[in-house]
Amino acid sequence: MNILVTGANGQLGNEMRIISKDTDYNFVFTDVTTVEGVETTILDITDIEAVRNIVKEKGIDCIINCAAYTNVDKAESDVDFCRILNAVAPKNLATVMKEVNGLLVHVSTDYVFGGDPYNVPCKEDQKGTPTGVYGQTKLEGEQNIIATGCKHLIIRTAWLYSEFGKNFVKTMLNLTSTKPELKVVFDQAGTPTYAYDLAVAIKTMVDDYAKEISEENYSKTGIYHFSNEGVCSWFDFTKVIAEMAGNTGCDIQPCHSKEFPSPVKRPAYSVLDKTKIKETFGLRIPYWTESLKTCINNLKNN
């Protein structure tokens, strides 16, 4: 099977590079920029003809879309470009996959929720109520994919971190080691997701699809939720990060979201119900502190 990965130089894309080494699939890793020493094919997914050409040239059977506009605050003032990348580009990928009867694996977000108050984990069929441009455009991207009728696996995830790029874990490792005190919000609850664990889940799903690749329709097409197991606030997350790293000199205190003004209202509770993905693909998902420990140890040893 020939698999094209978009956003290959981002957090999840880099984890997919690692996962790819343990498969027999042929991977084409694409992005809009290159990184020295890392093989990357330049591809602009906002250009549908460019997507068509590479899919035809490489005989692509499956696209894993790890590319997105993810700057939640900046999205409020950069609406057009955010929509092109999060809503139009996924439609392009889905349209081309429909033309070749291929599979699109698309990564979405917990930010499609948040507008309605609730305190139970969000299920896949729950109505999307995004509170900002980022969440709204990601929801539009999902809807656009479904409308094409292509075979698809849409995976909503949350609070992604890894050894790669910029993320909350790396930021807090730095701050808790250099600041005497730190305030972190406690009124937003969710679940951290280690990008490597998400990449493993994607590989499991792609392996499953490989058994049905010749079928006109894929019986497991649909929306799924994936994060690590458990629930915490950003405050709890930070406390555990500091503790695991041995950063004991920083006084970490809880605070309200209103103490950090933002152009967008973030979901107060965006825990994802993962029953469907676990039952459908037989996944065992690690508890969030287990995976955090792995990531921090990897960062220490690199």
Side-chain angles (χ1 to χ4, degrees), residues 111 159 168 184-186 188-189 232-239:
Y111 273 72
W159 298 24
F168 187 81
V184 187
V185 297
F186 78 97
Q188 293 172 24
C232 66
S233 70
W234 291 108
F235 165 71
D236 300 311
F237 193 11
T238 304
K239 289 284 284 185

Side-chain angles (χ1 to χ4, degrees), residues 68-291:
Y69 187 112
T70 58
N71 189 326
V72 176
D73 287 347
K74 192 179 175 190
E76 294 300 306
S77 58
D78 194 14
V79 180
D80 290 346
F81 184 57
C82 183
R83 179 160 280 115
I84 288 168
L85 204 51
N86 288 348
V88 178
K91 183 180 180 181
N92 291 345
L93 301 176
T95 300
V96 175
M97 283 294 94
K98 174 69 174 172
E99 291 167 358
V100 299
N101 194 34
L103 174 74
L104 174 60
V105 180
H106 174 72
V107 180
S108 191
T109 174
D110 60 322
Y111 273 72
V112 301
F113 304 117
D116 294 337
Y118 48 86
N119 60 357
V120 293
C122 306
K123 294 197 172 183
E124 289 81 0
D125 59 359
Q126 182 173 318
K127 183 177 181 289
T129 55
T131 56
V133 171
Y134 168 67
Q136 178 60 40
T137 57
K138 290 295 285 184
L139 183 60
E140 289 169 15
E142 294 181 9
Q143 293 164 343
N144 288 346
I145 290 167
I146 294 166
T148 67
C150 79
K151 295 188 281 191
H152 62 268
L153 296 168
I154 295 169
I155 309 166
R156 294 180 182 139
T157 192
W159 298 24
L160 205 65
Y161 70 90
S162 70
E163 297 88 346
F164 302 98
K166 294 178 183 176
N167 57 66
F168 187 81
V169 170
K170 290 169 81 171
T171 298
M172 289 302 145
L173 283 171
N174 176 48
L175 291 178
T176 58
S177 68
T178 56
K179 301 268 187 191
E181 57 185 52
L182 202 60
K183 282 186 175 183
V184 187
V185 297
F186 78 97
D187 55 1
Q188 293 172 24
T191 310
T193 306
Y194 184 29
Y196 177 81
D197 291 339
L198 176 54
V200 169
I202 290 172
K203 178 190 175 293
T204 302
M205 296 166 91
V206 169
D207 287 344
D208 181 87
Y209 170 69
K211 299 170 196 167
E212 292 187 45
I213 190 170
S214 60
E215 302 296 322
E216 183 65 30
N217 297 306
Y218 178 45
S219 63
K220 292 168 188 171
T221 276
I223 299 174
Y224 295 87
H225 286 171
F226 183 92
S227 66
N228 282 114
E229 297 283 22
V231 183
C232 66
S233 70
W234 291 108
F235 165 71
D236 300 311
F237 193 11
T238 304
K239 289 284 284 185
V240 176
I241 290 167
E243 189 179 307
M244 286 184 175
N247 296 345
T248 55
C250 182
D251 178 23
I252 305 163
Q253 291 297 321
C255 71
H256 291 92
S257 299
K258 63 185 180 186
E259 293 185 47
F260 290 96
S262 165
V264 63
K265 181 178 180 287
R266 286 164 166 74
Y269 186 92
S270 60
V271 181
L272 300 174
D273 187 312
K274 296 171 284 288
T275 305
K276 182 181 175 184
I277 198 169
K278 288 190 285 188
E279 290 181 348
T280 304
F281 296 99
L283 290 177
R284 183 212 167 266
I285 303 175
Y287 185 60
W288 71 271
T289 58
E290 294 172 29
S291 295

Side-chain angles (χ1 to χ4, degrees), residues 1-4 25-28 58-63 213:
M1 189 157 62
N2 298 321
I3 300 174
L4 185 146
Y25 307 130
N26 300 310
F27 280 84
V28 179
K58 303 290 186 181
I60 299 299
D61 305 296
C62 169
I63 294 177
I213 190 170

